[in-house]
Amino acid sequence: MVVSQSNGKIALVSGINGYIGSMIGLQLLQRGYTLRGTARSSKSVEPLKTGAYKEYADRVQAAAVPDITVLGAFDEAVKGVTVIFHTASPVIFNQANYNDVVIPALHGTITMLQSALEFTGPQLESVVITSSNDWAEPLALEKPDEIDGLALYQASKSAAEKAAWKFRSDNKPPFSLSAVHPSIVIGPITHLPSSPSSLNPVLSYFWAPFSGSPDVGPHIALGHTDVRDVASFQIWAAEHPQQSDNQRYILAHGMGTLQAAADIMRKAYPERSKAIPVGNPGSDYEPDFSWPKGVSSYDGSKAEKASGMQFRGFEQSVLDMCKSFEKML
């Protein structure tokens, strides 16, 4: 393996040990960046340094940020960086409380931007924020008892993005600011959790049929994006500040369902055909995983056209995700 040489630039990724953050970090290292990743504790970054990042360990820096909502929390972490990827957000899927999830995400984003404005230096070119769907935030405010933890997480990302745009309007920072809205994110896992029970809720939906759940799972129309494409696009946005500044990008590539995933799994793993649930094959999705007529859809064409990328399809993402799952059987 030929390891890329340093490009002399430092990239900061908040939430480095998260599903999206860890993939962004890996691709940055492959592109020659020195990676500075924040997490609640430096110790939690060690599994990445000895695992997926092992070949680049001399270019990996861990910055402990125990509480992202504390003003000044990122002051040291942002110093000297050229690009910032803000993915960190409270993840409390089993605790649907607006004040515990949405408010900290909002404050954490403002804290990051304030630190970037005051302490980074003139070399900072771009800040890219991972956002989410707009629909969840009004529901979280109007009907807090009817929203689950995953939707509350999505609401927190949306609220944080709105706060970021207000910050930009009020402070007119010299760096580019853009927001990326991935649909449901699937694909390979950079760092496997210690137990399947620690998978994020989206991956857990797919782990269930692969690991032998008796049911395919609920019917959910999933606009999907591969985690590698989410990472690659965010890096594109950071490296093209004049083009991406003040832009919002949706990342989506058709629709898949859990039934579709189970059908793909049974075909790819005939030796596990008795373990993977059958459900009703082919019943609730298009053969090419496109959006069915009459179904609300997400359009990722703006992002693909701007970057020149062609996002991966649902089948490839499911198969590569399953390769990660194999290690947890």
Side-chain angles (χ1 to χ4, degrees):
M1 175 181 177
V2 178
V3 179
S4 59
Q5 298 298 310
S6 172
N7 63 11
K9 298 179 179 180
I10 303 173
L12 175 66
V13 179
S14 69
I16 190 63
N17 47 3
Y19 182 45
I20 294 175
S22 60
M23 181 61 74
I24 293 174
L26 178 60
Q27 292 190 12
L28 286 166
L29 289 167
Q30 292 170 341
R31 293 177 69 84
Y33 286 89
T34 291
L35 173 64
R36 184 178 299 159
T38 74
R40 287 193 177 93
S41 71
S42 298
K43 185 178 180 181
S44 65
V45 183
E46 286 304 312
L48 282 168
K49 294 176 71 174
T50 57
Y53 298 171
K54 184 177 180 180
E55 300 294 332
Y56 313 95
D58 61 328
R59 286 195 273 117
V60 179
Q61 304 171 1
V65 180
D67 186 349
I68 65 173
T69 69
V70 175
L71 191 62
F74 293 102
D75 287 357
E76 289 299 317
V78 301
K79 290 180 178 178
V81 305
T82 302
V83 291
I84 295 174
F85 302 87
H86 184 52
T87 75
S89 190
V91 181
I92 315 174
F93 291 113
N94 62 349
Q95 185 177 350
N97 183 300
Y98 189 93
N99 290 329
D100 287 339
V101 180
V102 179
I103 298 301
L106 189 156
H107 289 318
T109 297
I110 296 304
T111 297
M112 170 64 85
L113 291 172
Q114 193 66 46
S115 294
L117 184 63
E118 295 183 15
F119 293 97
T120 302
Q123 78 289 335
L124 178 61
E125 298 174 357
S126 306
V127 175
V128 183
I129 295 173
T130 303
S131 188
S132 191
N133 302 320
D134 294 326
W135 66 268
E137 187 189 0
L139 184 61
L141 287 168
E142 297 167 10
K143 300 179 180 180
D145 296 333
E146 299 180 17
I147 191 168
D148 62 20
L150 178 57
L152 194 59
Y153 168 77
Q154 293 174 321
S156 76
K157 303 297 282 186
S158 177
E161 184 199 344
K162 290 180 180 178
W165 293 127
K166 185 177 187 305
F167 181 93
R168 183 182 187 275
S169 177
D170 292 345
N171 294 276
K172 296 177 174 51
F175 48 80
S176 166
L177 179 65
S178 56
V180 175
H181 297 242
S183 52
I184 295 296
V185 182
I186 60 176
I189 305 170
T190 306
H191 173 65
L192 291 172
S194 57
S195 165
S197 63
S198 297
L199 288 167
N200 74 44
V202 171
L203 296 178
S204 294
Y205 275 129
F206 291 88
W207 164 255
F210 184 78
S211 61
S213 169
D215 300 313
V216 168
H219 170 67
I220 306 174
L222 304 172
H224 62 86
T225 315
D226 191 286
V227 65
R228 292 164 292 190
D229 294 331
V230 176
S232 295
F233 182 82
Q234 294 207 28
I235 293 172
W236 173 87
E239 293 181 337
H240 295 79
Q242 292 184 339
Q243 191 170 347
S244 65
D245 185 31
N246 199 30
Q247 296 296 312
R248 307 172 78 222
Y249 296 98
I250 294 172
L251 305 187
H253 191 69
M255 191 201 82
T257 65
L258 294 175
Q259 179 66 64
D263 293 348
I264 292 168
M265 292 173 187
R266 286 197 316 278
K267 180 179 178 181
Y269 293 88
E271 73 281 5
R272 295 186 51 74
S273 60
K274 293 183 178 180
I276 298 170
V278 175
N280 189 5
S283 62
D284 63 356
Y285 62 93
E286 299 296 314
D288 62 353
F289 309 109
S290 60
W291 288 97
K293 292 182 179 180
V295 174
S296 297
S297 62
Y298 302 109
D299 183 1
S301 61
K302 174 183 175 179
E304 289 189 280
K305 183 177 180 180
S307 64
M309 293 175 58
Q310 183 173 359
F311 296 152
R312 292 170 174 84
F314 183 74
E315 183 171 8
Q316 182 182 353
S317 296
V318 169
L319 291 174
D320 291 344
M321 178 170 50
C322 289
K323 290 178 183 177
S324 296
F325 287 165
E326 289 176 20
K327 303 170 186 176
M328 295 193 296
L329 287 174

